[in-house]
Every structure is written in structure tokens, then in C-alpha cells.
Amino acid sequence: MNIPFSRPYITDELDYIAELLGNISKGWNISGDGRYTARATKFLETRFEVEKALLTTSCTGALEMATRLLNLSPGDEVISPSFTFSSTVNPILLVGAKPVFAEIQEDTLNIDPVDIEQKITCKTRAIYVVHYAGVACDMDKIMKIADDHGLYVVEDAAHAVNAKYKDRYLGTIGDLGCYSFHDTKNYVCGEGGALLINNDDKNMVERAEIMREKGTNRSKFFRGEVDKYTWVDIGSSHLPSDILAAFLCSQFEKLDNIQCMRLNIHARYMEAFAPLEEKGIVRLPVVPEYACHNAHLFYMLLDNRDTIISKLRARGVHATFHYIPLHSAHMGKKLGYREGDFPVTEIVSSRLLRLPLYPGMTGEQIDYVISSVMESIE
Ligand SMILES: *Cc1c(COP(=O)(O)O)cnc(C)c1O
């Protein structure tokens, strides 16, 4: 058997794309902000109950937009976990501000509110949170800290589309939320993302639209609010082709179906590996009462992780590690961090193993992964 780590779940995506291409002669366009972009955007806004969503070419792009919207100045500090992907932190450096790393909680592997408070200085402007594996951060505590200190909260919800904190969808709780529709995430269009604006400053929505359209007020023009569009601010090109939006619309129709399939696989792994946890051999994911997760990934923490990965690969099971902590990466060292600065992050990173999990995995494949793990650990 050969079981990949992840695989997008594709059914009838071609139908919408064919419809779009078939209507080009009628004036449908394949550039950004066409019919399917409008439809995908409406879906996000309705389903996740958010005032404003904007499709972007990636979550990285959405995080860049979010960061620029905060109007940070050089010297300003932004608190973020080190246990994340480079995209969470690059935008902070791109605007000349300073990322300040904080430790994660041992149970959820999400940023630790206690350490956030310790990292706050008079220069702190924002807190960036990452909902690891689609399991919510401790948002009430984090929003309270942000409120008390007058800080923005940006949610890197790349893993967390359709997951919840209490009764609210992740990405809709902080001032700004960022989704990813990259191939490896739960809902995909190859490369894609979205920016969610929850802050009630209307100015922020207008600035985001301008920033996304090369610094022009083209969005207003399309809505008939101005009679010409022109260059009004600094911007870039953050909008995806409508072909990708068509793909995404098809994925959104399977939103609950995809999540259900993922949750079933996650539950089977949890059940199968519970005896290993009882014996103290592995530590399984913890989902707090307040979180409704989306089974974005299945991980466990264990000794000799790299040996187990090799043994699993030899059996055709593509298990893998995850983040090299940002503070101990080459770039983190350039920022002045050192190994040993975040012990929980470092231990988790060295012990974490992710198993194949994707909708469409057969029962036989799931069983094979489980038995391969059992044999590799023995
Ligand atoms: C995947 C990922 C990103 C980047 O998403 P893209 O859509 O590929 O830009 C950012 N943050 C986290 C936590 C991710 O897992």
C-alpha cells in the first residue's frame, strides 16, 4: 500500500469551471471578482456570519493584508507563537514591525495566554493567534487580554475553516481572520485564501478593498459608487482568478460532508491509539470543552519520532513531522532568538508525528495506517 499524507477531495469541480469557460463569449470573465468570486464570498459571509470576506490568492496574502491594515510602525511589537508557519510572521517583518514569540500550551499546542501577558510591553500592538490543527485557541482569555491592553487580534485560521470556539466560527472572533484554501488544507482550490474583517471600523473594509486591487478604488467602481476608478493608495494584487473561485464554490457545497469524513477518520485514530496513550507511549490530541474542531490534522507526540517516520515510510505510510519552531529556524536566530528559549515548543516540535488524513481514505487504508503505527512502535 502507498498512502499519501494528504489528498484534496475532488468531485464535480469541473462543472462550474466548464460553465464559466463556456460563458466567456457572453462576457463572463475569468479574472478576479467575477460571478464565482461573488458567490464564494457570499457563502463565507453567510455561513460563518461575518460582515466582510475578501477572497485572496493565499492565506499568506490575507495575513499580509491584515498586517498592513493595522498601520503598524517600525518598532511596534506583535506577539505570535513560534510554533507556526513562516507566513504568520513574515508580514510583521514586511511592515517593519517586530515579531515577539510566545510559548504554547502543552495541551492544545496553541499560544499560551499566560505567556502572552508576560510578553506585552508598551510597544505591543497586536496578538496573532494560530488555531493549530483546527482546535480553537483560548479565545475568551485572549480577547480579554487584547481588550485590557488595547491590542488588535489577528487569527491565522489557515487550519481552522469551519471549526468553532464555543458557538462562533474561528476567523470571525479577532479583528481580522485569515483562511487558507491551499491544497493541503480542508477546503481547497490549489492556492487560495480569504481575509475576514470583523472589526467594525468601516474604513478598514474600504482600505482592504483598495489594497487588494492594486491600490485602486475599482471595487467601488464595480458597485457603481464612483464613475471612474483610479489610484488612491498603496496596494498589490491579492485577488484570485474566478476559475479558482469556481473550484472553491464546488468545495464549499461539500463543506459539511468533507468535515464529517475527516472527523470520522480522526475519531478512528483516537480510538485505535487510546491504549497506547493509556500505557504512556503516546500523547494524543486534546480538544478542550470550548472547541469544536474540524479534524484538519491528526497528530501524536511520542519518543523516537524520526525512526517511526522512517519505519512508516518503509511501509508506504507517508507520516510526517510538523513545524520547525520559528525562533530556532535560521531566520529566528537572525532575530536574536536561541534554542532553549521556548522549551514546550521545542519538545513538541521534536516529538510530533502527523498521520495521513484526507476525505476519501478507505477503511482499509485507515486500518493499514493504524496497524503500521502499532508495528512501528513495538
Ligand atoms: C498553510 C498555512 C499558512 C499559509 O497558507 P497559504 O494559503 O499557503 O498561504 C499560514 N499559516 C498556517 C498556520 C498554515 O498552516
Side-chain angles (χ1 to χ4, degrees):
M1 276 222 218
N2 187 35
I3 304 177
F5 174 68
S6 103
R7 181 172 281 172
Y9 185 70
I10 308 299
T11 55
D12 45 12
E13 276 66 9
L14 264 182
D15 293 355
Y16 285 154
I17 294 174
E19 187 190 21
L20 175 56
L21 301 188
N23 281 291
I24 287 177
S25 60
K26 293 196 193 123
W28 294 25
N29 58 291
I30 58 172
S31 54
D33 281 342
R35 285 162 194 258
Y36 283 103
T37 302
R39 185 159 157 180
T41 306
K42 188 101 241 121
F43 177 89
L44 290 171
E45 290 172 350
T46 320
R47 167 79 194 210
F48 301 128
E49 293 168 65
V50 58
E51 199 60 32
K52 187 71 186 175
L54 291 168
L55 286 197
T56 59
T57 52
S58 65
C59 182
T60 305
L63 284 158
E64 286 178 19
M65 288 180 67
T67 307
R68 292 213 38 234
L69 287 169
L70 304 184
N71 280 330
L72 303 177
S73 310
D76 285 350
E77 296 176 357
V78 176
I79 297 173
S80 141
S82 164
F83 188 65
T84 182
F85 190 54
S86 58
S87 294
T88 316
V89 169
N90 272 327
I92 302 165
L93 291 166
L94 278 169
V95 300
K98 183 181 166 193
V100 173
F101 294 124
E103 187 59 287
I104 50 171
Q105 295 183 210
E106 272 178 78
D107 54 358
T108 56
L109 318 188
N110 284 331
I111 193 164
D112 184 353
V114 175
D115 202 39
I116 291 177
E117 284 221 272
Q118 281 166 1
K119 295 288 159 31
I120 292 176
T121 71
C122 56
K123 292 179 179 166
T124 310
R125 293 286 173 273
I127 303 167
Y128 282 25
V129 303
V130 178
H131 305 291
Y132 187 73
V135 176
C137 292
D138 198 343
M139 289 311 284
D140 281 350
K141 279 193 197 153
I142 292 167
M143 295 309 288
K144 167 94 174 45
I145 294 169
D147 244 23
D148 289 349
H149 297 267
L151 308 175
Y152 287 111
V153 172
V154 174
E155 297 177 74
D156 178 342
H159 294 188
V161 182
N162 205 27
K164 285 179 172 176
Y165 173 82
K166 296 185 178 169
D167 59 352
R168 291 175 72 186
Y169 285 102
L170 301 183
T172 71
I173 302 167
D175 295 277
L176 296 148
C178 302
Y179 287 164
S180 175
F181 306 121
H182 181 266
D183 222 23
T184 54
K185 302 303 201 293
N186 285 26
Y187 309 103
V188 310
C189 63
E191 299 275 358
L195 175 68
L196 310 187
I197 303 174
N198 315 307
N199 186 299
D200 50 18
D201 176 2
K202 286 279 170 261
N203 196 19
M204 217 184 239
V205 171
E206 186 173 337
R207 286 178 54 225
E209 286 183 341
I210 290 167
M211 191 182 287
R212 179 168 167 271
E213 265 284 19
K214 302 97 181 166
T216 72
N217 56 355
R218 192 168 174 176
S219 302
K220 273 193 163 174
F221 172 73
F222 278 145
R223 286 196 296 264
E225 294 165 23
V226 291
D227 60 0
K228 290 186 197 65
Y229 71 88
T230 178
W231 185 30
V232 289
D233 204 347
I234 302 173
S236 189
S237 183
H238 287 289
L239 58 172
S241 158
D242 219 47
I243 301 173
L244 291 181
F247 196 115
L248 202 52
C249 283
S250 184
Q251 289 272 303
F252 286 165
E253 283 172 8
K254 304 188 278 269
L255 197 86
D256 289 320
N257 187 18
I258 286 177
Q259 179 147 317
C260 189
M261 287 188 279
R262 299 188 79 103
L263 285 167
N264 281 335
I265 301 165
H266 197 280
R268 279 181 72 171
Y269 283 153
M270 287 296 276
E271 197 186 322
F273 300 130
L276 293 180
E277 184 164 56
E278 274 160 36
K279 288 187 211 150
I281 298 169
V282 303
R283 208 277 266 157
L284 298 178
V286 175
V287 181
E289 191 96 341
Y290 55 66
C292 198
H293 77 110
N294 62 358
H296 170 58
L297 56 86
F298 182 87
Y299 71 85
M300 46 199 204
L301 304 179
L302 74 184
D303 293 338
N304 304 319
R305 188 266 320 268
D306 293 340
T307 315
I308 311 272
I309 288 182
S310 310
K311 287 186 181 173
L312 288 170
R313 295 245 172 126
R315 287 170 166 78
V317 174
H318 289 257
T320 185
F321 56 93
H322 211 179
Y323 304 126
I324 308 295
L326 296 182
H327 77 274
S328 62
H330 185 70
M331 185 61 196
K333 289 188 175 144
K334 283 207 259 178
L335 295 171
Y337 286 96
R338 254 172 257 176
E339 232 137 298
D341 286 347
F342 298 96
V344 179
T345 298
E346 289 168 33
I347 290 168
V348 162
S349 168
S350 66
R351 291 167 49 85
L352 190 142
L353 174 81
R354 289 182 295 161
L355 294 179
L357 193 166
Y358 51 90
M361 259 182 110
T362 63
E364 198 189 356
Q365 287 172 320
I366 299 165
D367 289 339
Y368 183 75
V369 172
I370 292 168
S371 62
S372 299
V373 169
M374 297 301 189
E375 288 161 23
S376 301
I377 284 176
E378 241 71 80

